[in-house]
Amino acid sequence: HPEGAKRPKDLLPGLTILGGWRPQSLSYGAMATLGGQRIGAYVKGRSNFKGQTEAAYSCLSDGTSDGAPIWTTGKESHTEWALGAGGIFRLSKAFGLYAGSGYGLSETLWEDASGKWARVDDHSAKGICADAGIIFTKSHFQASAGLSTIALKNPTLEIGLGIRF
């Protein structure tokens, strides 16, 4: 090995428990990190662990479907999950930035008076997700704060606490 080469033992793994918040839904998950002195990588997953309800038709948040009003019961269903990976870029010994992408689903459904579910199109998204944030490390403690979005809709605030091994 050349004198300045990194060895695998210089890479520190970590595990962070995540909480995600947006006005309609709370979600939880984990982020596994592997970091060196300057760069690293992460893999994460987050969900609200609710099964996806099948929508009979779609509507908008103004309460219309194809221009006609719908009558709702007030019941809502929110399904959310996201999987992603990306890079960690150290700014200093304690602080770093992370950014990555993946795939996810964020869906809001309303129940109508006949018991059918309508997907609220302007509050739902499926597709490419992106996330970015800051990560703080002190000894074996790791904390993160960031923002995640699916198809540039439904931003979710993510907060995490964890350990480095």
Side-chain angles (χ1 to χ4, degrees):
H1 278 313
E3 190 63 33
K6 297 287 178 218
R7 293 174 300 232
K9 70 178 184 178
D10 294 332
L11 297 175
L12 294 174
L15 181 64
T16 300
I17 303 302
L18 293 174
W21 175 84
R22 65 182 185 97
Q24 300 87 3
S25 178
L26 290 174
S27 56
Y28 309 94
M31 176 168 62
T33 62
L34 184 62
Q37 287 185 334
R38 288 283 164 214
I39 63 169
Y42 72 90
V43 162
K44 72 176 184 174
R46 185 178 43 78
S47 174
N48 67 355
F49 300 100
K50 294 184 180 179
Q52 192 171 354
T53 305
E54 189 66 37
Y57 61 99
S58 63
C59 69
L60 297 174
S61 61
D62 66 359
T64 61
S65 177
D66 295 326
I70 64 169
W71 301 98
T72 64
T73 63
K75 289 184 182 176
E76 294 185 11
S77 173
H78 301 279
T79 302
E80 184 173 356
W81 61 265
L83 299 171
I88 300 172
F89 311 96
R90 291 262 164 233
L91 300 175
S92 68
K93 188 171 182 174
F95 288 97
L97 299 176
Y98 70 88
S101 64
Y103 193 79
L105 169 87
S106 176
E107 191 168 65
T108 297
L109 289 97
W110 291 344
E111 185 183 47
D112 69 13
S114 66
K116 294 180 182 175
W117 289 93
R119 180 179 188 266
V120 185
D121 283 340
D122 50 339
H123 287 200
S124 300
K126 182 178 183 180
I128 301 296
C129 65
D131 58 71
I134 191 163
I135 193 161
F136 171 77
T137 304
K138 178 75 174 173
S139 185
H140 292 290
F141 174 76
Q142 186 166 281
S144 65
L147 195 63
S148 177
T149 181
I150 299 170
L152 299 177
K153 293 171 82 176
N154 301 335
T156 301
L157 176 64
E158 293 180 339
I159 304 293
L161 294 174
I163 59 171
R164 285 176 45 162
F165 305 100

